[in-house]
Amino acid sequence: MRMQTRFDSTRLALALGVCLIGAFVGMAGCQNTAEGVKQDAEKDERVIRNVADKAVEDTKIAVDKAAVKTKGASSEAGDALSLTPKVKTAILAQPKLRDSRNRINVNTKDHVVHLEGHVISGGEKRLAGDVASKTVKEAGAGAKVMNQLTVGGH
């Protein structure tokens, strides 16, 4: 508000100067000039308040959007932190998949559980995919399972 006061004082001084010049050259209406300055100042104050209100509203909208993005990011992080170990544990609990020649990596990203690596047979690949899908479903997660395991060739 200090800046606004200085601005009003400057306008008032200018108006008084105009008034004095007007009186010097015989012009009338000094009171109208001071009143006009007051009205202009009130109008400027309304404009400033409108701009400030708009800025506050825009800030609220930006904060709301950021909150939605943060919630989505934390949900994704939660999926990765909870789903990945659940699926990995469920796969390791299967005796047929515990063969030391199998290498099954589990990663969760963008609501997709990725099974990567290699297994000995096609049956083990299907079993790993089925176990992962069942675990995701039981966890209540809306994630999909992408079985990218390769068979043999290790």
Side-chain angles (χ1 to χ4, degrees):
M1 278 298 163
R2 181 178 210 137
M3 189 168 122
Q4 182 64 35
T5 304
R6 188 178 324 136
F7 181 72
D8 291 344
S9 299
T10 303
R11 290 180 97 175
L12 186 58
L14 181 62
L16 290 174
V18 169
C19 184
L20 289 174
I21 292 171
F24 182 71
V25 293
M27 294 176 67
C30 186
Q31 186 172 0
N32 288 339
T33 303
E35 184 62 30
V37 169
K38 180 181 174 189
Q39 289 173 356
D40 287 346
E42 290 170 353
K43 185 170 136 184
D44 290 346
E45 184 179 345
R46 284 192 304 272
V47 168
I48 290 169
R49 281 192 182 149
N50 287 340
V51 169
D53 289 346
K54 175 78 168 113
V56 167
E57 186 61 30
D58 289 348
T59 302
K60 285 179 183 177
I61 291 169
V63 167
D64 288 345
K65 286 181 180 179
V68 168
K69 286 182 181 180
T70 301
K71 183 178 179 183
S74 66
S75 171
E76 177 62 33
D79 281 353
L81 290 174
S82 67
L83 262 182
T84 299
K86 284 179 184 177
V87 171
K88 185 73 170 179
T89 300
I91 287 173
L92 290 175
Q94 295 294 315
K96 291 180 181 178
L97 297 175
R98 277 188 284 194
D99 190 300
S100 63
R101 295 172 290 172
N102 290 336
R103 296 283 182 255
I104 303 173
N105 298 314
V106 180
N107 295 303
T108 305
K109 184 174 191 246
D110 297 328
H111 301 289
V112 178
V113 176
H114 298 271
L115 302 180
E116 300 167 330
H118 58 266
V119 290
I120 299 170
S121 70
E124 289 177 342
K125 177 178 178 174
R126 281 187 298 283
L127 178 59
D130 291 345
V131 168
S133 294
K134 180 181 176 191
T135 304
V136 167
K137 185 176 181 181
E138 287 174 354
K144 296 180 182 179
V145 174
M146 176 81 62
N147 191 342
Q148 298 168 305
L149 293 168
T150 58
V151 176
H154 23 226

